[in-house]
Amino acid sequence: MWIYGVICIIVLFAGYRIYGKFVEKIFGINQTEPVPSKSNYDGVDFVPTNKWVLLGHHFSSIAGAGPIVGPIIAGLSFGWLPAILWILLGAIFIGGVHDFSSLVISMRNQGKSLAEIASTSISKRAYYLFLTFIWLSLMYVIAVFAELAAESFASEPAVAQISLIYVFVALAFGVLNSKGKIPLWLLTIISLIVIGLGFPFSFKHQVLTLSKDQWVYVLIGYAFVASILPVWILLQPRDYLSSFLLFISVTIGMVGIFLGGFRISYPPVKAFYSPSTGPLVPFLFITIACGAISGFHSLVSSGTTSKQLDHPKNSRFVAYGGMLLEALTAAVALSTLMIFAKRYNHVGLSPSAIYAEGIGRYLGILGLSEGIGKTFGLLILSAFILTTLDTATRISRYIFQELLAKTSNKSLMVRGYSTLVSLILPLFLLKTKFKDPAGNVVSAWKIIWPIFGTTNQLLAALVFIVVFVWAKRNLSKGSLVFVIPMIFMAFMTFTALIWILTQNLIRGWFNVITFIALLLLSLALILSYEAFRVIFRKK
């Protein structure tokens, strides 16, 4: 097992040092060029931020449950070898380029969204198509992660209470950090100690025993508040502090991989077709999203990170480096399946249960009980589900404001009704009863996840189209770095979405989710047509 860990670390480190540097040279990053956080400073969204704090915010926002759930599902379906190959190669040559490009292009366009950049690079029609596509895609993100968090909180009150402690500590951190009187390192240590003290309290006094439906409303309310508050008060410090959980989880995983003496018992290649997932091509590249490439990352890079970057030299560190850190997280998550393969091959537990028990086994090496380890694993998962939830809601608010041409973030009323409208459709999806082919009522996220994953990757393909058009106009070289991932992702995602829609229509699943997916497919096709008209237009 330790050889697996060595290969993952060496490949990802080499990717950052060699290929990441190569892409940085293509963009010609100028160390003196202005950044929107300073030129457009407003104290709400445009705020210059220390690179370590920003890495924490960015990393937590892009990670979510994706690099944990996706690799385990793919490993269960196809085997661990295809999964880890896609994670490593995808992150270096496609995902890292995607995230880095999104950040740099937005930085060079006053922190504008990729939709606004599409407006000037392609057409005004492309601008509205892209905005609508992104906004509808985010409805899936909010619905999926709100329900995942609600299920976790309802089943484990201790996880809910620790997460709540995180929120209050983050609020205090944000206020104190803004005053600048306490050094960042000291404030970080104090905050982590307070959160650490919350662990034994939450285990002994489990008082937040709400139902799943009640937690859905609480989480939607939390997302609303997090969206309208200035970024430095809650979103930024909570994501920064949450990133330490992720760093700790990766460290625990590395300890287990290198020192645990575990053997790989799951087959490297299991099947080329899974009844629950679909064919390996294209669904390997759809199921593993956030660990290799995710369209949602571009929304974080251009939606929040570009508005907080304090210096252009930190762009590769935050965006490309954040993507490779997420790939390492995905590799650790996959390893939790690899060491329990024989057992789970028959029992078929959920990905979150596999991850939590795997982390529990790894922590057992350090002398902690597996029960505490499992709860800690669920806490890690829940912490990053929340960061994705509140970031997705905030970006939805940005997009809706753009659609209404209401871009002023200083108006609390504009921020309020834009956020409210962005939460209505996800709440409707969560309150709708969905059934599986046998007629059993199932969680909404289980029905949404396949289309959510495909739509998410389709967004990445559309982002590469915008990046390629922009690069053709603004860069003197390096177009192949963007065009090859663009073609690859477009083929995989269009194929997967058409396959899913065909299967749903055959089964008679023509519901609101299928309707939105058809709408998104139509928008993507029209947007692609608009882009290729520009690409092949004579000068």
Side-chain angles (χ1 to χ4, degrees), residues 95-311:
V97 177
H98 169 274
D99 294 13
F100 185 44
S101 303
S102 304
L103 175 59
V104 173
I105 292 174
S106 179
M107 177 189 74
R108 289 181 172 172
N109 285 271
Q110 298 297 308
K112 292 179 180 178
S113 70
L114 290 172
E116 288 183 279
I117 296 165
S119 175
T120 56
S121 299
I122 302 175
S123 68
K124 196 69 176 178
R125 187 186 296 115
Y127 167 67
Y128 289 111
L129 288 170
F130 207 11
L131 275 182
T132 306
F133 184 94
I134 293 171
W135 192 77
L136 288 173
S137 299
L138 286 168
M139 300 302 98
Y140 285 152
V141 177
I142 295 170
V144 165
F145 288 102
E147 185 166 50
L148 283 171
E151 285 185 354
S152 177
F153 287 178
S155 62
E156 291 287 343
V159 173
Q161 290 171 199
I162 297 170
S163 298
L164 188 62
I165 291 170
Y166 247 104
V167 171
F168 286 116
V169 172
L171 286 167
F173 183 102
V175 173
L176 294 173
N177 189 47
S178 68
K179 297 183 181 299
K181 294 183 178 179
I182 303 178
L184 176 63
W185 65 269
L186 180 58
L187 189 57
T188 300
I189 291 173
I190 294 171
S191 299
L192 293 176
I193 289 174
V194 173
I195 292 169
L197 293 174
F199 273 82
F201 174 83
S202 297
F203 281 115
K204 291 180 181 178
H205 308 283
Q206 299 188 19
V207 295
L208 287 180
T209 53
L210 303 180
S211 67
K212 174 188 165 183
D213 287 341
Q214 290 172 323
W215 274 119
V216 164
Y217 288 111
V218 171
L219 289 165
I220 292 294
Y222 161 76
F224 177 85
V225 173
S227 173
I228 64 174
L229 286 176
V231 69
W232 56 267
I233 290 181
L234 177 58
L235 187 69
Q236 191 184 84
R238 206 192 78 79
D239 289 354
Y240 169 68
L241 292 173
S242 293
S243 70
F244 284 91
L245 268 181
L246 194 48
F247 293 138
I248 292 170
S249 71
V250 172
T251 302
I252 291 170
M254 289 294 104
V255 169
I257 289 170
F258 285 107
L259 303 179
F262 297 106
R263 291 174 176 244
I264 299 175
S265 54
Y266 202 76
V269 179
K270 180 182 176 184
F272 292 97
Y273 178 84
S274 166
S276 59
T277 306
L280 186 147
V281 177
F283 283 97
L284 171 68
F285 311 101
I286 303 305
T287 306
I288 301 178
C290 296
I293 177 176
S294 166
F296 177 71
H297 292 190
S298 69
L299 306 184
V300 177
S301 289
S302 64
T304 59
T305 305
S306 66
K307 298 173 177 61
Q308 301 172 58
L309 191 72
D310 66 344
H311 198 285

Side-chain angles (χ1 to χ4, degrees), residues 27 101-102 105 462-472 482:
F27 277 106
S101 303
S102 304
I105 292 174
L462 296 178
V463 167
F464 268 120
I465 291 174
V466 176
V467 170
F468 176 65
V469 174
W470 183 91
K472 289 284 285 185
F482 312 114

Side-chain angles (χ1 to χ4, degrees), residues 12-24:
L12 292 174
F13 181 75
Y16 178 78
R17 295 288 297 175
I18 299 171
Y19 201 71
K21 193 74 174 177
F22 171 70
V23 177
E24 186 178 50

Side-chain angles (χ1 to χ4, degrees), residues 522-537:
S522 302
L523 290 170
L525 288 170
I526 299 171
L527 181 58
S528 299
Y529 170 74
E530 287 285 315
F532 286 112
R533 280 180 59 201
V534 173
I535 292 172
F536 295 108
R537 182 186 300 159

Side-chain angles (χ1 to χ4, degrees), residues 397 401 405-411 414-415:
R397 189 255 291 176
Q401 286 179 221
K406 300 285 187 180
T407 55
S408 174
N409 293 319
K410 293 186 178 181
S411 170
V414 171
R415 301 203 305 269

Side-chain angles (χ1 to χ4, degrees), residues 156 159 199 203 245 249 252 336 352-381:
E156 291 287 343
V159 173
F199 273 82
F203 281 115
L245 268 181
S249 71
I252 291 170
T336 63
S352 58
I354 293 173
Y355 178 76
E357 188 154 344
I359 292 296
R361 288 292 300 273
Y362 287 159
L363 278 173
I365 300 170
L366 304 177
L368 297 176
S369 70
E370 287 191 27
I372 293 176
K374 288 180 185 178
T375 303
F376 185 72
L378 287 174
L379 173 63
I380 293 167
L381 197 60

